Amino acid sequence: MVAEEPKTAEAADEAKQSLLVRAREWATGSRLRTALVAGGLLGMATATVGVWIWVAALTVSEPPASIEIALEKLDEGDLEFATNYVRKMQQDNVILTRDYGGPLFVLGAVRAAEAEEQWAPERRRRDYLIASKYLQEARTLGVPVDREFQSLYLLGKSYIGSDQLAKGVEVLNEALSEDPAHATGIHALLGRAHYYADNPDYYEVALRHLEQVLADPEADPELAAEATLHRARVLSRLGRDAAAQQALTDPPAEADPAAVQLALGQVLVAAASRAGDLSSRDMLLAQATSALGKAQNLDKLSTEVSGSAQYLLGRIDQIRGQYAEALKRFVDIRKRFGASPSAVAASVAEGNLLLDDSQPEPALVALRRAASTVEDTAAYQSDLLSVNDLKKSLLAAQERYVDEEQFDAALSLIDALEFLLGPTRKRELQAETQQRWGDLLLEKASGNAWLPELQRQGRRRLREAGVTYEQLAEDRFATAKYPGDLWRAAESYYRGQSYTSAIRVLRDYIRNEPELYNAQALLRLGQSLLAMGEADEAVEAFEECIEFHPNDAAVYGARLAAAKAHRDRGKYDRAEKLLRENLVGGTLSPRSPEWRDSKFELGELLHEVGRHTEAIDHLEEAIYRYPGALRRRTASYLVAESYRQAAEEPKRRFEETKAVNEREKNERLYKELLGSALKHYDRVQREISRSNSADSTDDLMLRNCYMFKGSVLFDLERYREAVEEYSNVSALYQNEPFVLETLMQISFCWRRIGQPDKARGNVDQALLALERLPEDADFLVSTNRSRNQWLDLLNKIRVW
């Protein structure tokens, strides 16, 4: 049995081989069979590989995405992995909306860390800005619980790093009370924020935070070095010169030696500018010069340290009175250091020196350059000239231009201040400057021979101020300043005689401000309407002011203006009542302009209605109360006219009365009245002749004074003196129709004297003058006759 086993196995092998042979023969028997076998084998291989992959996937599965992994990598400093991991989570949509706070925190923290490593300030600021947006959104959506304090600290740090100082201070103050782990870093950030803030009141706050940093023995060396320099400068700005110098005697080893020497030089220059005696000042300036020289030597790459040192050396030249050297140094800094803080400070100093040297135009160029360089006040941080000091310096220069009446330059400088002040404050300054310009021109116009032109220029500037104030009101529509801006716009329009605009703005003001200046607004509205010829509406506004604001000072002006309106419409009784209420019915002082104006207006009204004796009493009092020459002359002229016209009644009685006593009394009275008239005409003539500000009103009064003096002298039978007065008029108005009137009156005088030949000679002169007058001359403007009527009259007189 045993011997048979090999044979059986051998037989089995042979059988298997014969089976494979037959299968192979069968498969290769045709192309179809070969393709079927090949396809089957390929399918089996593919299935085997798929099974193995499936088994591997079951054995080694990827863990689910988790924010903890990104946070872990963030803590390890693997910023690239953390960022990519969060990005992949976003792409794979494995983050629910409510869970976005964590990934955004990671992205913000990464960007903040990258910003800290940036060398270029602008790129660092940009990265911090992006980080702040990520972190703010992360806190809004909710950060992981264990990252609450860290997110608060990083958000505050990013705000400070992107120059959003106010936001940074708010966040870091909150973090300071909740995150003691970052206390020193927070104090350092808050110290820096308050140091560079646009408010000098923050220096004490900055000092407290900086001293907290320096009090921590485990503080980061770089933070301590920065805090040391900031603290020294803050102490100097607070006037603590000795403490500021002491702060720099033993700086941290990590502090940049060049920066330390620069800070020391700056502190010493400030101390020297405040020194009480020359010896102390010179000693401090010598020490400062030495320190600044060292700073430049240590600054091998000639960075901003060198620019700042050069600026401080220029300040030393100024303190020593070496202005030419200082100016040269400032110009050099500006050319070498472009838009750097030292160049900005140098441009301001250059402009001020040029202003002091009476070179306003190049000074303006330098000052505008400094202002336009700072396009972003948040990004501007300077140890030499803070934002606040920069604004103060430029505004002081603008005020100097205004004080020196160089308004064009002042407005030009204001244009360049928009980035520093903002568009609203810029517009406010423009309006104030335009208003001051207009006020000054009108003030000068009151005593200058070129009065009409100055008045036109002044009113134009006031109208420009009105437009600017109105635009300012639109800018501040939603603020409490809106009504005040409207009021200033209306006042400027009114004084600039743009009455249509004044009416529009005043109505808007009254709708929006029912209390403040309401009475004054009604007064101005009525005055503007009256100037536009809308007398009925004007009176309504005046009466509303009088009725609803009886205790307001504007009521006196409203009564005065309403009286003028009633007088123009012939309502003399109502006008007189209002004027007398101003004079005797209230508490108005005789020294006030409204009382004096009411007195003058009442006198003029009484003169107009023929109550000459009463008119004289009021007008003569007005003469002594009016400081203005024009009103005093006008009052004197009206007094003269009142005396002359008052003389008509006793003259009439003298001519009609037969009784000797009555005739003598009336003759004496009318001659006294005419004599008083003559005296006042003389006064007006003298004042106008001596005045350098005569206008068309003065010219008209002067002409009438000559004529009426001639008439008075004629009535007084002083004919030769009358001829002299009339001759003055004929000489002044040879080419006007009015000359015919004077020549005719001269002719009458010669007839009274008994010289008819001279009388006819003057008539002949009048006929020749009539021929010379142009055909289009308007005779009725200055005389009571037309050309033909004058020709007929003169021909009749000639044959008398």
Side-chain angles (χ1 to χ4, degrees):
M1 288 295 294
V2 176
E4 291 295 327
E5 288 181 3
K7 293 182 180 180
T8 304
E10 198 173 305
D13 291 337
E14 290 177 0
K16 291 178 182 179
Q17 290 177 1
S18 61
L19 182 60
L20 289 171
V21 169
R22 288 198 299 275
R24 185 171 57 251
E25 290 175 352
W26 178 83
T28 55
S30 70
R31 291 183 178 178
L32 177 60
R33 292 175 187 171
T34 301
L36 288 172
V37 172
L41 292 173
L42 181 60
M44 289 175 64
T46 302
T48 302
V49 173
V51 169
W52 277 107
I53 292 173
W54 176 70
V55 172
L58 290 176
T59 305
V60 186
S61 61
E62 184 176 321
S66 170
I67 190 60
E68 280 72 17
I69 295 174
L71 291 171
E72 181 181 346
K73 294 298 183 182
L74 174 66
D75 294 339
E76 293 174 359
D78 194 345
L79 305 182
E80 184 178 0
F81 183 92
T83 302
N84 292 336
Y85 191 84
V86 168
R87 297 294 187 202
K88 187 173 185 305
M89 290 175 69
Q90 292 173 325
Q91 292 169 3
D92 293 345
N93 293 322
V94 298
I95 310 173
L96 298 176
T97 302
R98 65 174 182 271
D99 296 330
Y100 258 101
L104 289 175
F105 166 75
V106 172
L107 295 176
V110 168
R111 207 58 183 255
E114 291 175 344
E116 197 166 358
E117 299 300 321
Q118 288 286 2
W119 182 81
E122 189 55 39
R123 296 187 64 179
R124 181 168 59 250
R125 180 172 177 268
R126 182 202 61 193
D127 283 353
Y128 271 127
L129 179 63
I130 296 171
S132 70
K133 295 183 182 300
Y134 278 131
L135 292 164
Q136 177 59 53
E137 188 65 20
R139 290 189 58 78
T140 300
L141 296 173
V143 297
V145 177
D146 60 340
R147 303 288 172 156
E148 180 70 24
F149 294 155
Q150 186 183 8
S151 68
L152 201 61
Y153 169 70
L154 288 175
L155 177 59
K157 182 178 182 179
S158 297
Y159 277 145
I160 300 296
S162 56
D163 299 321
Q164 302 175 76
L165 301 183
K167 289 182 178 180
V169 167
E170 181 181 357
V171 170
L172 289 173
N173 279 330
E174 180 184 351
L176 191 60
S177 60
E178 299 183 10
D179 188 9
H182 293 100
T184 299
I186 293 172
H187 281 302
L189 290 169
L190 286 171
R192 182 190 307 164
H194 287 300
Y195 173 78
Y196 286 118
D198 185 17
N199 190 335
D201 296 338
Y202 290 158
Y203 289 152
E204 289 283 3
V205 182
L207 187 61
R208 289 199 297 271
H209 286 296
L210 294 169
E211 288 177 344
Q212 287 288 333
V213 176
L214 297 173
D216 183 1
E218 298 181 0
D220 180 273
E222 292 186 3
L223 289 181
E226 181 185 86
T228 298
L229 299 182
H230 284 335
R231 178 173 174 269
R233 288 190 171 101
V234 168
L235 287 168
S236 177
R237 290 178 185 178
L238 291 171
R240 305 176 194 175
D241 297 322
Q245 295 170 47
Q246 181 64 33
L248 295 169
T249 55
D250 187 22
E254 289 76 9
D256 179 11
V260 171
Q261 292 299 317
L262 175 65
L264 179 58
Q266 184 174 357
V267 166
L268 290 166
V269 169
S273 67
R274 292 188 283 263
D277 59 89
L278 288 177
S279 60
S280 298
R281 189 201 72 175
D282 291 342
M283 180 186 69
L284 290 167
L285 291 178
Q287 294 173 352
T289 302
S290 175
L292 294 170
K294 292 176 183 178
Q296 292 184 90
N297 291 333
L298 291 166
D299 184 30
K300 303 300 183 184
L301 298 178
S302 191
T303 65
E304 177 63 7
V305 169
S306 294
S308 298
Q310 281 293 311
Y311 169 78
L312 292 168
L313 289 169
R315 287 282 296 116
I316 291 173
D317 290 334
Q318 275 186 287
I319 295 171
R320 287 174 170 162
Q322 300 169 345
Y323 302 116
E325 292 83 349
L327 181 61
K328 182 179 179 182
R329 198 183 296 270
F330 292 141
V331 171
D332 182 63
I333 295 167
R334 184 242 303 166
K335 292 179 178 178
R336 287 177 56 199
F337 292 90
S340 67
S342 61
V344 172
S347 289
V348 172
E350 176 189 354
N352 286 327
L353 281 175
L354 291 168
L355 270 180
D356 292 339
D357 195 36
S358 301
Q359 299 185 57
E361 293 182 5
L364 178 63
V365 173
L367 294 167
R368 280 181 56 91
R369 183 188 302 112
S372 58
T373 300
V374 184
E375 296 185 356
D376 185 353
T377 55
Y380 173 80
Q381 293 183 352
S382 172
D383 295 322
L384 298 173
L385 193 67
S386 68
V387 173
N388 184 68
D389 289 338
L390 176 60
K391 289 180 183 178
K392 286 170 60 177
S393 296
L394 293 172
L395 289 175
Q398 186 265 341
E399 188 68 21
R400 284 183 66 178
Y401 279 119
V402 171
D403 291 341
E404 294 171 10
E405 301 179 17
Q406 299 182 41
F407 292 98
D408 279 325
L411 289 169
S412 177
L413 182 54
I414 291 171
D415 279 336
L417 292 175
E418 182 167 350
F419 291 121
L420 278 170
L421 304 178
T424 301
R425 176 60 179 144
K426 169 195 165 186
R427 187 161 284 155
E428 185 176 27
L429 271 178
Q430 285 176 324
E432 291 171 355
T433 303
Q434 290 163 342
Q435 184 179 26
R436 288 180 65 178
W437 195 354
D439 288 342
L440 179 68
L441 289 172
L442 290 185
E443 182 182 344
K444 286 184 174 182
S446 64
N448 192 288
W450 296 99
L451 178 139
E453 179 59 28
L454 282 177
Q455 278 187 334
R456 283 192 290 273
Q457 291 179 17
R459 288 166 183 159
R460 178 163 63 89
R461 296 304 174 186
L462 286 169
R463 290 193 294 272
E464 291 172 356
V467 172
T468 310
Y469 273 129
E470 194 172 3
Q471 293 171 343
L472 182 64
E474 293 175 4
D475 293 344
R476 303 200 287 206
F477 177 76
T479 72
K481 295 183 178 180
Y482 174 67
D485 294 335
L486 282 180
W487 173 249
R488 286 188 288 273
E491 272 289 279
S492 298
Y493 280 136
Y494 173 77
R495 297 187 63 242
Q497 295 191 351
S498 179
Y499 298 117
T500 304
S501 297
I503 292 167
R504 171 175 49 77
V505 176
L506 283 165
R507 284 175 169 158
D508 197 11
Y509 174 83
I510 292 169
R511 283 194 299 270
N512 286 277
E513 176 49 72
E515 297 181 7
L516 189 65
Y517 297 130
N518 193 262
Q520 187 72 15
L522 287 168
L523 169 60
R524 283 286 184 261
L525 178 60
Q527 290 170 326
S528 300
L529 288 165
L530 196 60
M532 293 296 294
E534 303 291 340
D536 292 337
E537 289 187 64
V539 169
E540 286 180 14
F542 295 140
E543 290 181 346
E544 183 180 347
C545 176
I546 295 167
E547 180 179 357
F548 290 102
H549 305 279
N551 299 319
D552 195 286
V555 167
Y556 302 116
R559 287 198 193 105
L560 178 61
K564 291 179 180 178
H566 286 306
R567 177 185 158 198
D568 291 342
R569 296 190 298 173
K571 297 182 178 181
Y572 298 111
D573 291 342
R574 176 61 179 156
E576 183 179 350
K577 180 177 182 296
L578 289 169
L579 292 170
R580 292 191 183 278
E581 284 178 359
N582 265 3
L583 293 170
V584 298
T587 59
L588 196 61
S589 166
R591 291 188 297 272
S592 66
E594 291 85 358
W595 194 94
R596 294 197 301 266
D597 287 346
S598 297
K599 176 66 74 172
F600 177 87
E601 186 70 21
L602 180 59
E604 194 169 19
L605 183 149
L606 292 169
H607 167 77
E608 190 170 324
V609 298
R611 293 158 62 181
H612 300 301
T613 302
E614 293 178 77
I616 289 169
D617 290 340
H618 288 285
L619 289 169
E620 285 191 331
E621 185 177 359
I623 290 172
Y624 297 105
R625 291 192 182 277
Y626 272 101
L630 179 58
R631 294 308 289 276
R632 187 173 63 249
R633 289 199 295 272
T634 304
S636 293
Y637 173 77
L638 290 175
V639 168
E641 278 290 275
S642 294
Y643 275 120
R644 186 179 67 83
Q645 293 177 28
E648 292 296 322
E649 179 61 23
K651 181 181 179 183
R652 182 187 61 76
R653 291 198 302 266
F654 165 77
E655 293 172 347
E656 295 176 354
T657 303
K658 302 300 182 180
V660 174
N661 290 338
E662 280 297 314
R663 283 174 60 83
E664 288 178 351
K665 183 177 72 173
N666 285 307
E667 182 182 19
R668 186 170 57 252
L669 178 58
Y670 91 74
K671 286 185 176 180
E672 286 177 359
L673 292 172
L674 289 177
S676 296
L678 198 62
K679 180 180 69 175
H680 281 83
Y681 285 133
D682 281 336
R683 173 187 289 179
V684 176
Q685 281 181 319
R686 286 195 304 270
E687 290 195 5
I688 294 176
S689 298
R690 288 197 300 262
S691 174
N692 292 322
S693 60
D695 62 358
S696 58
T697 302
D698 279 337
D699 291 340
L700 180 60
M701 283 197 297
L702 183 62
R703 186 192 72 181
N704 288 348
C705 282
Y706 282 123
M707 285 299 296
F708 290 136
K709 274 185 70 178
S711 175
V712 168
L713 290 166
F714 185 90
D715 288 341
L716 291 172
E717 300 179 2
R718 295 159 60 178
Y719 301 119
R720 291 187 182 278
E721 293 177 68
V723 168
E724 184 179 346
E725 291 297 330
Y726 286 134
S727 297
N728 288 331
V729 183
S730 63
L732 291 172
Y733 302 98
Q734 296 182 44
N735 300 316
E736 297 182 24
F738 188 74
V739 72
L740 304 177
E741 190 80 45
T742 62
L743 291 170
M744 185 179 69
Q745 294 296 330
I746 293 172
S747 173
F748 291 156
C749 290
W750 285 123
R751 286 188 182 277
R752 290 295 181 96
I753 295 172
Q755 298 188 28
D757 292 340
K758 288 186 176 181
R760 278 193 295 273
N762 277 276
V763 174
D764 290 339
Q765 287 184 39
L767 287 168
L768 290 173
L770 180 61
E771 290 180 8
R772 289 197 304 269
L773 291 173
E775 291 295 326
D776 58 350
D778 191 346
F779 285 74
L780 295 178
V781 170
S782 58
T783 72
N784 295 324
R785 299 174 180 84
S786 66
R787 177 188 289 271
N788 291 333
Q789 288 172 332
W790 271 110
L791 181 61
D792 292 342
L793 177 62
L794 291 171
N795 284 326
K796 288 178 182 178
I797 294 174
R798 190 176 186 282
V799 298
W800 289 356

